[in-house]
Amino acid sequence: MIGEHIGPYRLLTSLGGAAGAVHRATGPDGRDVAIRALPAGAAPDIARMREVRSPYVVDVLDGAAAGDLDGAGDGPDGGGYVVSRLVPGRPLADAVAERGPLAGAALHRTALGLAKAIAAIHDAGLAHGDLHPGTVLLVDDAPVVVDFGLVPGADPADDVRGWAAVVLFAAVDPTAVPAGLRPLVEAAASADRAARREAAELAAAAALLEPPPG
């Protein structure tokens, strides 16, 4: 597919990805972007996705649902596509595998950034739907969430539980989660949905915590 087009975007290199092919591409204005081709039937709400504004969430720039282009330049399987800013980071899963677990201030910074990210997504009327260590990139040791809003019928409460799972993954050992953060993680991970805070409340509570040293 390299050198081919999806919509007006020319594909440059593959960036991998499990939920549909992701490529580095160049747009009509010459800017490098990331473009995810979606499976047939996918109907992303591009307008709402573009409304999400947070330093912890990738900027969605453009996109189309399947059939919006009458088949000309759609994704390879007849689906739509989402275009976002090209984020120069590594997946959290890779960072932990290569450098070991996050701890102290680094873990607190990641947990707070992720809580703010899902709060911003929910504020736009969307849910991520697939928050896990592979959909979180680390850029200068700060998290940036990608691939949001692509799961039909996603539940915001599941994003909160996903937040807890990602924080625990980053810590590797649950006992390494800072004492102040631990009750938030435990509540967010609860099977009882009523025990989980809304994302905005979670972010506010995490912001009040004193970052641990390190």
Side-chain angles (χ1 to χ4, degrees):
M1 289 186 61
I2 304 306
E4 297 181 4
H5 284 73
I6 295 179
Y9 299 91
R10 184 169 63 87
L11 306 185
L12 299 176
T13 58
S14 174
L15 298 175
V22 184
H23 286 80
R24 181 175 179 177
T26 185
D29 60 359
R31 177 168 54 169
D32 281 359
V33 297
I35 184 167
R36 176 177 286 283
L38 302 176
D45 190 336
I46 301 298
R48 284 180 185 253
M49 294 168 77
R50 293 182 65 175
E51 291 175 0
V52 178
R53 289 287 181 266
S54 168
Y56 303 107
V57 183
V58 67
D59 294 330
V60 170
L61 307 173
D62 191 12
D68 281 0
L69 300 176
D70 297 324
D74 281 357
D77 297 320
Y81 61 88
V82 175
V83 180
S84 61
R85 177 173 56 88
L86 188 65
V87 178
R90 292 184 59 75
L92 176 63
D94 292 353
V96 171
E98 294 173 6
R99 298 175 359 205
L102 303 185
L107 184 61
H108 177 271
R109 181 167 55 249
T110 296
L112 177 57
L114 289 176
K116 289 182 175 181
I118 59 174
I121 293 169
H122 294 178
D123 189 54
L126 299 170
H128 189 290
D130 193 28
L131 187 66
H132 61 77
T135 55
V136 177
L137 304 182
L138 288 184
V139 182
D140 296 330
D141 294 326
V144 177
V145 170
V146 300
D147 293 343
F148 66 94
L150 301 180
V151 178
D155 188 337
D158 289 337
D159 288 347
V160 173
R161 198 174 193 188
W163 171 85
V166 172
V167 173
L168 290 171
F169 174 90
V172 178
D173 181 355
T175 64
V177 177
L181 190 61
R182 201 170 302 155
L184 299 181
V185 173
E186 290 173 351
S190 175
D192 179 5
R193 304 171 92 80
R196 304 176 207 163
R197 299 187 184 209
E198 292 189 359
E201 295 175 351
L202 181 64
L208 291 175
L209 297 175
E210 185 71 23

